[in-house]
Amino acid sequence: MAESVRDRVWEYLAATGTSVVFGNPGSTELPFFADWPERVRWVMALQEASAVAMADGYAQATGRPSLVTLHSAAGLGNGLCSVYTAFRNRSPVVVLAGQQVRSMHPTDPYLYAEQSTLFPRPYVKWAIEPARAQDVPLAFARAFHTAAQRPAGPVFLSVPMDDWDTPAAAVPLRTVSDRFTAGDGELAHAAKRLSAARSPVLVMGPEVEREGATALAVELAERTGATVWASPHINRTSFPEEHPCFRGQLQPTRKLIREALAGADLVVVLGAPVFLYHVPSDGPCVPEGTELFQLSEDPDTLARADTGTGIRTSLRDGIAGLLGHLPEHLDGSLLDPAPRPAPELTAPMQGEYVLRLLGDVLPPDTVIVEEAPTFREVRWRHLPVRRGGGYYNAASGGLGWGLPAAVGIALADPSRPVVCLLGDGSAQYSIQALWTAARLGLRLIVIVLDNGEYAAMKDLSLTFGAHHPPSYDLPGIDVTHHARGYGCTGLRADGPDSVVDAVRTALATRTTTVIDIPIDPRTAALYT
């Protein structure tokens, strides 16, 4: 008997090392699940957006493409918010959706996606519903290669349900390189300007961390004596936040970026836009007379910049090239560490105080998955990331990604403690992901900073002058009750000692623990 499309796809997935599939299936996907191979772990989410976010977190933590399967049309629609986030995160996620049988397409049947490939655009790199069933295995191979190519991102496959049993040929396993380096002259010129700078600044973006180039970035900072900032709204931390060169995270307005970079004669942006803004402000983004170089793998990121010299390169090769062209005798002096004033203890506790407690009690190798927008700009002062691969958030700016993404990240690397830091508003977007975490038996610590409101929205109301908005209060939510209902341990900690005890208890167990921490509901304008 000839091998079927399903057989060929599983054959290809086995060759690529794909051993986990995430999803929330419907009827049009059922033929894909026939004869499920024992070596593949099925991770079920209770909602499609959570399934995609889990696959996103898993892909980022492993550095390889992940696979998620969704129901046709409506199921894909539910997952689109997380597809958009995966696109902004540059995560290589292969999204597979079912489709009605081909013979029924002319009658516009129930569950039919009439224009399936247009649905997820423009937030996928490639989308296809193969013209012939026997082309499905080859489409899978192209999808995996396309997702992984720099800049990485999600791709989409729509497969009619009667395709899976059609005979198909095997797909050869190929190696497709995606590393590239800028011209030697470009890097030599940038290195010459960097070595001559009196007051250089390095701005670190997520591409540095995604390539595992943090050690090279640290060497570059130390050899040049540069001040280091994280790019605005960074979704991966690319520099150790306790390093004396590190000064914090740039704020997403031209005015505040310009003020932070005052005194710099040269700025080198590594793996980030120039720059990512949230609120409008006037003027240039760098001080007058400051020279700027930008290194990135993404041609669109380079093209969008309104100042400086853009150099397209893989960041590991690009930074290594800069180091190779620096004079051997160059030895920058390290700066004094940035001040980190300790917050005062109040009742209820301030969020910053809780972050300082967490920074003291959590192990240095802790992975932080953050979806607490109120504290995103100050988190580094009190809860610094100390190891590579230690920080994730959603580059899209939406809510609901953090908790399911933390599930995927914890599944990818169970050797490190994973802490998902949420606001109480954020937690409600995808609370059902706790069920998946409990079913998988993951050691995951979910910490909810509970101020009883959408505090970030109140803060932004002041920033934008939106006076007297409708209520953003969130009374009557019992997070610990929800946690226990999904099979997790639920704890409430309302003082310093109880916070430390709860975290230590959670670290010592092999289960998912949710810690609800009431905090002071302060409101202040963001980005001031």
Side-chain angles (χ1 to χ4, degrees):
M1 181 177 178
E3 299 288 334
S4 67
V5 166
R6 181 173 49 251
D7 296 329
R8 295 305 191 189
V9 167
W10 283 121
E11 183 181 84
Y12 179 80
L13 294 176
T16 62
T18 302
S19 59
V20 178
V21 176
F22 302 86
N24 182 276
S27 59
T28 53
E29 293 74 60
L30 287 177
F32 174 64
F33 292 91
D35 302 319
W36 189 269
E38 292 184 1
R39 66 168 191 84
V40 177
R41 189 172 194 175
W42 166 247
V43 176
M44 181 139 109
L46 300 185
Q47 205 265 358
E48 291 89 349
S50 291
V52 178
M54 290 175 192
D56 181 345
Y58 189 83
Q60 290 196 64
T62 61
R64 301 190 306 271
S66 61
L67 177 61
V68 58
T69 176
L70 306 177
H71 191 31
S72 63
L76 175 61
N78 282 342
L80 281 182
C81 57
S82 289
V83 173
Y84 171 67
T85 297
F87 180 82
R88 300 291 296 187
N89 286 348
R90 300 304 187 192
S91 298
V93 179
V94 178
V95 181
L96 168 66
Q99 171 67 293
Q100 265 289 9
V101 298
R102 291 178 183 270
S103 62
M104 296 175 65
H105 290 188
T107 64
D108 195 11
Y110 185 61
L111 304 179
Y112 173 51
E114 183 177 356
Q115 296 185 3
S116 60
T117 60
L118 297 183
F119 206 166
R121 291 185 182 276
Y123 299 113
V124 291
K125 295 177 64 178
W126 183 62
I128 190 172
E129 184 175 290
R132 304 183 307 162
Q134 53 266 48
D135 296 330
V136 169
L138 191 60
F140 262 86
R142 180 174 174 181
F144 271 74
H145 289 307
T146 301
Q149 286 288 306
R150 302 168 194 268
V155 298
F156 176 70
L157 284 167
S158 173
V159 180
M161 60 190 301
D162 54 336
D163 284 7
W164 294 105
D165 292 314
T166 303
V171 176
L173 188 66
R174 303 170 57 235
T175 299
V176 179
S177 174
D178 74 332
R179 293 284 292 275
F180 54 92
T181 309
D184 193 58
E186 294 176 289
L187 295 173
H189 175 61
K192 181 179 179 180
R193 303 298 297 155
L194 183 57
S195 63
R198 299 182 307 277
S199 183
V201 171
L202 304 179
V203 178
M204 298 291 172
E207 293 176 38
V208 177
E209 165 65 17
R210 288 202 296 264
E211 287 216 19
T214 295
L216 290 172
V218 170
E219 183 181 351
L220 185 65
E222 292 178 351
R223 286 189 61 188
T224 59
T227 299
V228 177
W229 289 88
S231 61
H233 283 304
I234 192 169
N235 67 304
R236 298 284 295 271
T237 294
S238 293
F239 201 86
E241 294 176 336
E242 289 186 317
H243 194 283
C245 290
F246 188 70
R247 285 296 176 267
Q249 183 168 313
L250 294 175
Q251 302 296 292
T253 77
R254 288 177 177 269
K255 177 178 179 292
L256 295 178
I257 291 172
R258 193 167 58 246
E259 291 175 356
L261 300 179
D265 58 340
L266 178 72
V267 174
V268 180
V269 179
L270 299 171
V274 178
F275 287 99
L276 186 64
Y277 308 114
H278 188 181
V279 297
S281 61
D282 297 326
C285 59
V286 295
E288 185 176 352
T290 300
E291 189 175 10
L292 184 143
F293 287 88
Q294 178 189 18
L295 276 64
S296 176
E297 67 185 22
D298 186 352
D300 289 336
T301 293
L302 295 169
R304 281 196 302 268
D306 59 4
T307 189
T309 299
I311 300 175
R312 191 175 185 212
T313 181
S314 302
L315 265 294
R316 175 183 288 274
D317 296 338
I319 299 173
L322 290 177
L323 287 167
H325 285 291
L326 289 176
E328 293 184 5
H329 66 274
L330 191 66
D331 186 17
S333 57
L334 292 182
L335 307 170
D336 293 329
R340 299 172 188 261
E344 295 182 1
L345 175 59
T346 58
M349 295 177 291
Q350 299 177 31
E352 291 88 345
Y353 188 88
V354 174
L355 294 177
R356 183 62 64 101
L357 290 174
L358 297 177
D360 291 339
V361 72
L362 290 171
D365 64 339
T366 298
V367 178
I368 299 167
V369 185
E370 178 264 307
E371 196 168 271
T374 304
F375 302 101
R376 183 161 297 159
E377 272 68 38
V378 301
R379 188 267 320 148
W380 68 272
R381 296 182 183 274
H382 312 292
L383 179 57
V385 175
R386 301 179 173 98
R387 300 284 190 275
Y391 177 79
Y392 301 83
N393 75 42
S396 66
L399 300 180
W401 178 88
L403 181 53
V407 172
I409 292 165
L411 180 63
D413 185 6
S415 67
R416 299 174 64 176
V418 177
V419 171
C420 183
L421 185 67
L422 300 174
D424 53 326
S426 300
Q428 299 310 310
Y429 277 71
S430 53
I431 193 74
Q432 76 287 126
L434 290 174
W435 178 86
T436 304
R439 296 290 294 178
L440 293 173
L442 297 179
R443 183 180 68 163
L444 173 63
I445 304 173
V446 180
I447 295 176
V448 180
L449 301 177
D450 190 346
N451 50 22
E453 61 186 18
Y454 286 124
M457 292 302 300
K458 289 188 174 182
D459 294 350
L460 283 170
S461 294
L462 296 177
T463 299
F464 286 106
H467 304 294
H468 309 297
S471 174
Y472 294 129
D473 297 326
L474 300 172
I477 297 175
D478 189 336
V479 175
T480 58
H481 181 77
H482 291 163
R484 295 173 191 138
Y486 283 116
C488 304
T489 300
L491 304 173
R492 186 173 173 86
D494 54 9
D497 291 340
S498 59
V499 169
V500 172
D501 289 345
V503 173
R504 286 176 175 165
T505 297
L507 287 168
T509 63
R510 304 297 302 182
T511 59
T512 299
T513 303
V514 179
I515 306 172
D516 183 45
I517 306 175
I519 62 171
D520 184 15
R522 293 177 301 136
T523 299
L526 285 179
Y527 316 140
T528 57

